[in-house]
Amino acid sequence: MDDKLYRPFCLSTGEIIREMSEIDIVGMDSLEEESSELTSMGISSIITFAGARKGRLLLDMEPGLALSMAGAVLGGEYGDVKDPMVLSLVSEVNNIISGNAITGINNEFLMDLRLAPPVVFAGRDLVISIPRLRSFSSWGETEFGRIRINVAWEGGAS
Amino acid sequence: MELRELKTTVEKESTIKRILLVDDSPIIHKLLRRTLEAHGYEVCGDARNGREAVSMYQSLKPDLVFMDITMPVMDGLEASGEILSMDPQARIIMLSAMGDEQIVSRAEELGIVNFLKKPFNDYKIISAISGIV
């Protein structure tokens, strides 16, 4: 695995979530290859990127974390992950995480990658049906729940 | 410079009052509106894509536009190009999650006055406005 195409997403996830919501993530410092189907922990967002190569980032988290992030960023209290503002927030957080990671990758490798608008969905244990690609996940913990990112590149991991 | 001091300077010197927001995320509209209205600006329109932005620019004639890049229908760079070809004096600040060298230089070629990366805070937004007054 070429670490330089995966690691930026781990770093960006921790930095962006801390900057936007002041929530710290513990972990998310290693990547493991996924060997089984991906199932949602509660709320998930997928963003694809394309240029010299194609890839995607899945951002997945437990409901408690999504609701706490919404409260911290938007103010007020949120009790339902299907609230449009909560869904929209997770989607935008994924957009910003991906944009920051891709900016670094573009500057270093001149891959001219561009993002597509993200999709988001809510529901625990949903099987996330996405094209079968070799992918790597990184897990983190927060005081409000777990978070995972899963990164895949077409053409393999190098 | 402190945010309060910056705000006073901008208020004194600014000809910018009415601002058009362009982003496909309702979260960004909500956060930007909160920041701008708290500092005395009027958000005169909310566009969700580049095509809407071009149309609303023509009808609303805002003093400033905050423009995202990645949007459906028409992206922010294309929309900025159309707006600046209609009105070369248009003031547009890019506000995007993407900020690689190629995109920033394309924005500069178009005549974009400032380029901000998301996420943002009040200071970043008000500083960017102060930079163009």
mmCIF file of all heavy atoms in Angstrom, chain B residues 77-99:
data_model
loop_
_atom_site.group_PDB
_atom_site.id
_atom_site.type_symbol
_atom_site.label_atom_id
_atom_site.label_comp_id
_atom_site.label_asym_id
_atom_site.label_seq_id
_atom_site.Cartn_x
_atom_site.Cartn_y
_atom_site.Cartn_z
ATOM 1 N N LEU B 77 -16.026 27.603 -10.441
ATOM 2 C CA LEU B 77 -15.060 28.266 -11.326
ATOM 3 C C LEU B 77 -15.750 28.700 -12.624
ATOM 4 O O LEU B 77 -15.549 29.815 -13.106
ATOM 5 C CB LEU B 77 -13.878 27.328 -11.627
ATOM 6 C CG LEU B 77 -12.897 27.111 -10.469
ATOM 7 C CD1 LEU B 77 -11.917 25.994 -10.793
ATOM 8 C CD2 LEU B 77 -12.145 28.398 -10.145
ATOM 9 N N GLU B 78 -16.590 27.821 -13.165
ATOM 10 C CA GLU B 78 -17.297 28.154 -14.392
ATOM 11 C C GLU B 78 -18.274 29.311 -14.142
ATOM 12 O O GLU B 78 -18.356 30.252 -14.940
ATOM 13 C CB GLU B 78 -18.054 26.913 -14.898
ATOM 14 C CG GLU B 78 -18.559 27.076 -16.316
ATOM 15 C CD GLU B 78 -19.304 25.840 -16.819
ATOM 16 O OE1 GLU B 78 -19.226 24.773 -16.171
ATOM 17 O OE2 GLU B 78 -19.980 25.957 -17.860
ATOM 18 N N ALA B 79 -18.982 29.228 -13.020
ATOM 19 C CA ALA B 79 -19.932 30.299 -12.691
ATOM 20 C C ALA B 79 -19.198 31.628 -12.500
ATOM 21 O O ALA B 79 -19.653 32.677 -12.974
ATOM 22 C CB ALA B 79 -20.689 29.934 -11.421
ATOM 23 N N SER B 80 -18.048 31.595 -11.846
ATOM 24 C CA SER B 80 -17.272 32.828 -11.638
ATOM 25 C C SER B 80 -16.833 33.404 -12.974
ATOM 26 O O SER B 80 -16.867 34.636 -13.173
ATOM 27 C CB SER B 80 -16.039 32.537 -10.779
ATOM 28 O OG SER B 80 -16.438 32.081 -9.520
ATOM 29 N N GLY B 81 -16.412 32.527 -13.884
ATOM 30 C CA GLY B 81 -16.009 32.976 -15.227
ATOM 31 C C GLY B 81 -17.167 33.700 -15.912
ATOM 32 O O GLY B 81 -16.982 34.765 -16.519
ATOM 33 N N GLU B 82 -18.375 33.145 -15.807
ATOM 34 C CA GLU B 82 -19.546 33.774 -16.460
ATOM 35 C C GLU B 82 -19.878 35.109 -15.809
ATOM 36 O O GLU B 82 -20.180 36.085 -16.491
ATOM 37 C CB GLU B 82 -20.756 32.836 -16.391
ATOM 38 C CG GLU B 82 -20.616 31.662 -17.342
ATOM 39 C CD GLU B 82 -21.949 31.029 -17.716
ATOM 40 O OE1 GLU B 82 -23.008 31.657 -17.474
ATOM 41 O OE2 GLU B 82 -21.917 29.913 -18.249
ATOM 42 N N ILE B 83 -19.832 35.135 -14.481
ATOM 43 C CA ILE B 83 -20.153 36.386 -13.770
ATOM 44 C C ILE B 83 -19.128 37.470 -14.122
ATOM 45 O O ILE B 83 -19.482 38.614 -14.425
ATOM 46 C CB ILE B 83 -20.206 36.138 -12.247
ATOM 47 C CG1 ILE B 83 -21.454 35.317 -11.891
ATOM 48 C CG2 ILE B 83 -20.201 37.453 -11.470
ATOM 49 C CD1 ILE B 83 -21.492 34.806 -10.453
ATOM 50 N N LEU B 84 -17.847 37.098 -14.125
ATOM 51 C CA LEU B 84 -16.810 38.094 -14.404
ATOM 52 C C LEU B 84 -16.815 38.534 -15.865
ATOM 53 O O LEU B 84 -16.379 39.643 -16.176
ATOM 54 C CB LEU B 84 -15.434 37.548 -13.998
ATOM 55 C CG LEU B 84 -15.232 37.535 -12.478
ATOM 56 C CD1 LEU B 84 -14.133 36.549 -12.085
ATOM 57 C CD2 LEU B 84 -14.893 38.930 -11.967
ATOM 58 N N SER B 85 -17.310 37.681 -16.771
ATOM 59 C CA SER B 85 -17.398 38.138 -18.162
ATOM 60 C C SER B 85 -18.572 39.116 -18.330
ATOM 61 O O SER B 85 -18.524 40.013 -19.165
ATOM 62 C CB SER B 85 -17.490 36.966 -19.142
ATOM 63 O OG SER B 85 -18.703 36.301 -18.964
ATOM 64 N N MET B 86 -19.627 38.965 -17.505
ATOM 65 C CA MET B 86 -20.753 39.924 -17.539
ATOM 66 C C MET B 86 -20.376 41.214 -16.826
ATOM 67 O O MET B 86 -20.785 42.294 -17.215
ATOM 68 C CB MET B 86 -21.977 39.342 -16.796
ATOM 69 C CG MET B 86 -22.634 38.185 -17.478
ATOM 70 S SD MET B 86 -24.132 37.662 -16.589
ATOM 71 C CE MET B 86 -23.624 37.491 -14.912
ATOM 72 N N ASP B 87 -19.632 41.052 -15.706
ATOM 73 C CA ASP B 87 -19.310 42.202 -14.865
ATOM 74 C C ASP B 87 -17.864 42.068 -14.373
ATOM 75 O O ASP B 87 -17.606 41.462 -13.331
ATOM 76 C CB ASP B 87 -20.262 42.252 -13.667
ATOM 77 C CG ASP B 87 -19.912 43.379 -12.697
ATOM 78 O OD1 ASP B 87 -19.042 44.219 -13.032
ATOM 79 O OD2 ASP B 87 -20.501 43.418 -11.597
ATOM 80 N N PRO B 88 -16.925 42.636 -15.115
ATOM 81 C CA PRO B 88 -15.504 42.490 -14.738
ATOM 82 C C PRO B 88 -15.176 43.080 -13.364
ATOM 83 O O PRO B 88 -14.129 42.781 -12.801
ATOM 84 C CB PRO B 88 -14.762 43.248 -15.843
ATOM 85 C CG PRO B 88 -15.725 43.313 -16.980
ATOM 86 C CD PRO B 88 -17.096 43.358 -16.373
ATOM 87 N N GLN B 89 -16.090 43.911 -12.837
ATOM 88 C CA GLN B 89 -15.852 44.493 -11.501
ATOM 89 C C GLN B 89 -16.400 43.612 -10.376
ATOM 90 O O GLN B 89 -16.284 43.957 -9.192
ATOM 91 C CB GLN B 89 -16.529 45.872 -11.388
ATOM 92 C CG GLN B 89 -16.120 46.881 -12.473
ATOM 93 C CD GLN B 89 -14.623 47.077 -12.536
ATOM 94 O OE1 GLN B 89 -13.970 47.232 -11.508
ATOM 95 N NE2 GLN B 89 -14.066 47.026 -13.746
ATOM 96 N N ALA B 90 -16.998 42.479 -10.730
ATOM 97 C CA ALA B 90 -17.595 41.599 -9.705
ATOM 98 C C ALA B 90 -16.527 41.177 -8.703
ATOM 99 O O ALA B 90 -15.393 40.871 -9.073
ATOM 100 C CB ALA B 90 -18.207 40.378 -10.371
ATOM 101 N N ARG B 91 -16.936 41.165 -7.423
ATOM 102 C CA ARG B 91 -15.996 40.744 -6.364
ATOM 103 C C ARG B 91 -16.434 39.370 -5.866
ATOM 104 O O ARG B 91 -17.541 39.220 -5.335
ATOM 105 C CB ARG B 91 -15.963 41.774 -5.250
ATOM 106 C CG ARG B 91 -15.312 43.078 -5.735
ATOM 107 C CD ARG B 91 -15.224 44.117 -4.660
ATOM 108 N NE ARG B 91 -16.497 44.752 -4.410
ATOM 109 C CZ ARG B 91 -16.629 45.908 -3.737
ATOM 110 N NH1 ARG B 91 -15.559 46.516 -3.282
ATOM 111 N NH2 ARG B 91 -17.811 46.435 -3.513
ATOM 112 N N ILE B 92 -15.555 38.399 -6.080
ATOM 113 C CA ILE B 92 -15.891 37.011 -5.727
ATOM 114 C C ILE B 92 -14.799 36.454 -4.824
ATOM 115 O O ILE B 92 -13.603 36.551 -5.139
ATOM 116 C CB ILE B 92 -16.010 36.134 -6.992
ATOM 117 C CG1 ILE B 92 -17.080 36.694 -7.933
ATOM 118 C CG2 ILE B 92 -16.331 34.677 -6.609
ATOM 119 C CD1 ILE B 92 -17.162 35.999 -9.287
ATOM 120 N N ILE B 93 -15.216 35.878 -3.715
ATOM 121 C CA ILE B 93 -14.295 35.159 -2.836
ATOM 122 C C ILE B 93 -14.622 33.672 -2.941
ATOM 123 O O ILE B 93 -15.765 33.274 -2.721
ATOM 124 C CB ILE B 93 -14.439 35.615 -1.371
ATOM 125 C CG1 ILE B 93 -13.990 37.065 -1.213
ATOM 126 C CG2 ILE B 93 -13.618 34.699 -0.444
ATOM 127 C CD1 ILE B 93 -14.193 37.636 0.200
ATOM 128 N N MET B 94 -13.624 32.883 -3.324
ATOM 129 C CA MET B 94 -13.820 31.436 -3.371
ATOM 130 C C MET B 94 -13.737 30.878 -1.957
ATOM 131 O O MET B 94 -12.841 31.260 -1.183
ATOM 132 C CB MET B 94 -12.722 30.773 -4.196
ATOM 133 C CG MET B 94 -12.928 30.849 -5.673
ATOM 134 S SD MET B 94 -14.288 29.795 -6.139
ATOM 135 C CE MET B 94 -14.504 30.275 -7.817
ATOM 136 N N LEU B 95 -14.636 29.963 -1.637
ATOM 137 C CA LEU B 95 -14.628 29.312 -0.327
ATOM 138 C C LEU B 95 -14.838 27.828 -0.599
ATOM 139 O O LEU B 95 -15.957 27.399 -0.881
ATOM 140 C CB LEU B 95 -15.754 29.885 0.538
ATOM 141 C CG LEU B 95 -15.886 29.320 1.940
ATOM 142 C CD1 LEU B 95 -14.619 29.537 2.752
ATOM 143 C CD2 LEU B 95 -17.060 29.972 2.662
ATOM 144 N N SER B 96 -13.746 27.080 -0.545
ATOM 145 C CA SER B 96 -13.817 25.699 -1.028
ATOM 146 C C SER B 96 -13.016 24.749 -0.151
ATOM 147 O O SER B 96 -12.050 25.148 0.493
ATOM 148 C CB SER B 96 -13.247 25.659 -2.457
ATOM 149 O OG SER B 96 -13.142 24.330 -2.902
ATOM 150 N N ALA B 97 -13.436 23.486 -0.162
ATOM 151 C CA ALA B 97 -12.650 22.456 0.513
ATOM 152 C C ALA B 97 -11.387 22.146 -0.283
ATOM 153 O O ALA B 97 -10.390 21.680 0.261
ATOM 154 C CB ALA B 97 -13.482 21.185 0.680
ATOM 155 N N MET B 98 -11.438 22.387 -1.592
ATOM 156 C CA MET B 98 -10.288 22.132 -2.465
ATOM 157 C C MET B 98 -9.438 23.394 -2.564
ATOM 158 O O MET B 98 -9.987 24.488 -2.654
ATOM 159 C CB MET B 98 -10.760 21.769 -3.877
ATOM 160 C CG MET B 98 -11.515 20.465 -3.981
ATOM 161 S SD MET B 98 -10.428 19.056 -3.818
ATOM 162 C CE MET B 98 -9.418 19.203 -5.277
ATOM 163 N N GLY B 99 -8.117 23.228 -2.586
ATOM 164 C CA GLY B 99 -7.282 24.420 -2.719
ATOM 165 C C GLY B 99 -5.917 24.103 -3.263
ATOM 166 O O GLY B 99 -4.921 24.688 -2.839
#
